[in-house]
Amino acid sequence: MGVPYRSSGGKAVGGVLAVLAVIGLATPIAAQSVELRFPVQGARAAWIAESLGDAIPETTIEFTGPSFKFPLSGAGDKARLFVWDKTTGNIAQRPTKGLSGRWEVKPEEATHLAQVKVKVEHEGKPVGAASIVLADPKRKATVILDPSMQGTGTFVAVAPGPARVTVTYTSEGRTKTTPAQVFELALKRSDPVPTLSVSIPDPVSTATPVAKEEGSPKVEAPKGASTPWFANVLGYLMALAAAGGAGYLILLYVKRNPERVAQQLGKVGVKIPTSDDPLVLTAEEPDAPSPTFAKPEPPQPILLDDAKPTPLAATPAPIASVPTPVQHRLILPSGHPFVLEEGTTTVGREFASTLAFGDESSVSRRHAQLVRSAGLVTVRDLGSRNGTFVNGVKVDGDIPLRPGDFLQFGTVRCRYEV
């Protein structure tokens, strides 16, 4: 739960805390606030919650100065203080319990990326409807796309490391899921809000930009002006009275002129039933036959033959143990493993690659590819600018890998394991 304050400074909040301390509803001021200090000035937001959750609270305290006094009153024992640096796009956090005095918020204290966007396209157009799943090293989150989102889903509080993205969509009446794409997300990056791109080759519905309505300008009421509530109620009652009066006049006219009304309705094919009609039963007809119902027959008993005893089966044979599949993995610079699936894995700087290093300038857009087939993994350079190396030797052609080999894409170094 976020803090129900929103302020660009600490004067108003400090005044409230001072009043509470005087009347005895708060502990001393030093224990009810913490001074946040930053190396440089910038746009930031802070809030208190027990966990990051799936969304950044709408009620956050925003500030821009190099320091800010944040109120801690009302924070529970499990609460944490989150600070979002909008310049770097990262979030730092600390428990509020025992937090008082001053907190020098350093960039290396960042634990999560505040926002990560995933853009889903088909032939360069945004996909209208799909389900995006992003799994980081700590959790998995899902965003459902609709046409208003223009093919882009936003994930919050993403842990750094490999982010595995899959997209589920409908094409020609069939539900399909894209192969998993892995993007390496780092806390040090050029874009505060990185955008990951996923392309769908199958035909799918795409979102079209919402056209702005043209015509006469919309006339808005002056600011501060509003319709009194009693005027709304009075208008509603007047409308009901008018409708009731019209209905009463119509009934009165029908009652006084029944023959004329029946004649006019008969011209349009509508007949008013009377007591002379044979299908009309009224209260003055005591001889009208009442429906009768046949008495249901009692249910017949179900007779079953004596069941023959089922012979006991012989002792079942022991189930053979299923061998654990071998995992071929790359240990990334962050220390997280990346599983090499059967088939081809592309490595590069562009986010359309299976394994993408988006902020590494030494990695080419399409740098190399790894092929796993029949329990063997080979690496091939795709004409990269800075080359691909295995144990320090530049790759020329298809090179098979052995467990423990070191792969280097530009300046990015990984280790191959089985």
Side-chain angles (χ1 to χ4, degrees), residues 230-242:
F230 56 82
N232 292 332
V233 174
L234 181 59
Y236 181 70
L237 293 176
M238 291 177 65
L240 288 179

Side-chain angles (χ1 to χ4, degrees), residues 130-131 167-178 202 204:
S131 173
V167 179
T168 302
Y169 57 96
T170 302
S171 175
E172 298 178 342
R174 299 180 61 186
T175 301
K176 299 183 179 181
T177 301
T178 61
D202 300 317
V204 293

Side-chain angles (χ1 to χ4, degrees), residues 84-164:
W84 173 16
D85 189 332
K86 297 186 179 181
T87 303
T88 63
N90 296 333
I91 295 177
Q93 57 177 307
R94 277 192 182 183
T96 58
K97 189 175 182 180
L99 182 62
S100 62
R102 179 185 300 174
W103 176 15
E104 299 281 349
V105 186
K106 300 178 180 179
E108 53 267 25
E109 291 188 78
T111 59
H112 289 76
L113 288 77
Q115 294 179 331
V116 174
K117 294 186 176 182
V118 178
K119 188 175 184 179
V120 185
E121 295 180 323
H122 169 67
E123 297 181 349
K125 298 179 181 179
V127 172
S131 173
I132 309 174
V133 177
L134 187 150
D136 63 24
K138 293 186 177 181
R139 64 174 184 171
K140 182 186 294 185
T142 303
V143 171
I144 305 299
L145 288 181
D146 60 56
S148 65
M149 301 168 69
Q150 293 296 301
T152 301
T154 302
F155 295 83
V156 301
V158 179
R164 197 178 187 89

Side-chain angles (χ1 to χ4, degrees), residues 41-297:
Q41 182 171 332
R44 297 176 178 90
W47 66 93
I48 291 178
E50 292 188 1
S51 63
L52 279 169
D54 296 328
I56 295 176
E58 295 182 1
T59 53
T60 61
I61 296 181
E62 299 183 1
F63 49 93
T64 57
S67 64
F68 180 76
K69 202 163 188 179
F70 191 92
L72 299 177
S73 60
D77 294 338
K78 298 181 180 180
R80 303 180 72 86
L81 174 58
F82 298 93
V83 179
W84 173 16
D85 189 332
K86 297 186 179 181
T87 303
T88 63
N90 296 333
I91 295 177
Q93 57 177 307
R94 277 192 182 183
T96 58
K97 189 175 182 180
L99 182 62
S100 62
R102 179 185 300 174
W103 176 15
E104 299 281 349
V105 186
K106 300 178 180 179
E108 53 267 25
E109 291 188 78
T111 59
H112 289 76
L113 288 77
Q115 294 179 331
V116 174
K117 294 186 176 182
V118 178
K119 188 175 184 179
V120 185
E121 295 180 323
H122 169 67
E123 297 181 349
K125 298 179 181 179
V127 172
S131 173
I132 309 174
V133 177
L134 187 150
D136 63 24
K138 293 186 177 181
R139 64 174 184 171
K140 182 186 294 185
T142 303
V143 171
I144 305 299
L145 288 181
D146 60 56
S148 65
M149 301 168 69
Q150 293 296 301
T152 301
T154 302
F155 295 83
V156 301
V158 179
R164 197 178 187 89
V165 178
T166 56
V167 179
T168 302
Y169 57 96
T170 302
S171 175
E172 298 178 342
R174 299 180 61 186
T175 301
K176 299 183 179 181
T177 301
T178 61
Q181 291 184 235
V182 179
F183 306 91
E184 183 72 10
L185 299 176
L187 292 173
K188 294 183 178 181
R189 58 193 183 280
S190 58
D191 190 356
V193 183
T195 300
L196 316 180
S197 179
V198 177
S199 180
I200 295 180
D202 300 317
V204 293
S205 61
T206 55
T208 55
V210 180
K212 295 183 179 180
E213 295 184 0
E214 298 182 358
S216 58
K218 183 179 180 181
V219 179
E220 296 182 354
K223 292 185 178 179
S226 60
T227 304
W229 66 270
F230 56 82
N232 292 332
V233 174
L234 181 59
Y236 181 70
L237 293 176
M238 291 177 65
L240 288 179
Y248 174 76
L249 293 176
I250 293 173
L251 291 176
L252 185 61
Y253 179 82
V254 172
K255 184 176 181 180
R256 293 182 177 179
N257 306 276
E259 296 180 358
R260 186 173 182 181
V261 172
Q263 181 180 4
Q264 294 296 329
L265 292 177
K267 293 181 180 181
V268 295
V270 179
K271 181 181 178 182
I272 300 179
T274 64
S275 59
D276 296 332
D277 294 334
L279 296 180
V280 176
L281 298 180
T282 63
E284 286 77 12
E285 295 178 341
D287 297 333
S290 59
T292 58
F293 300 93
K295 183 178 180 181
E297 296 291 336

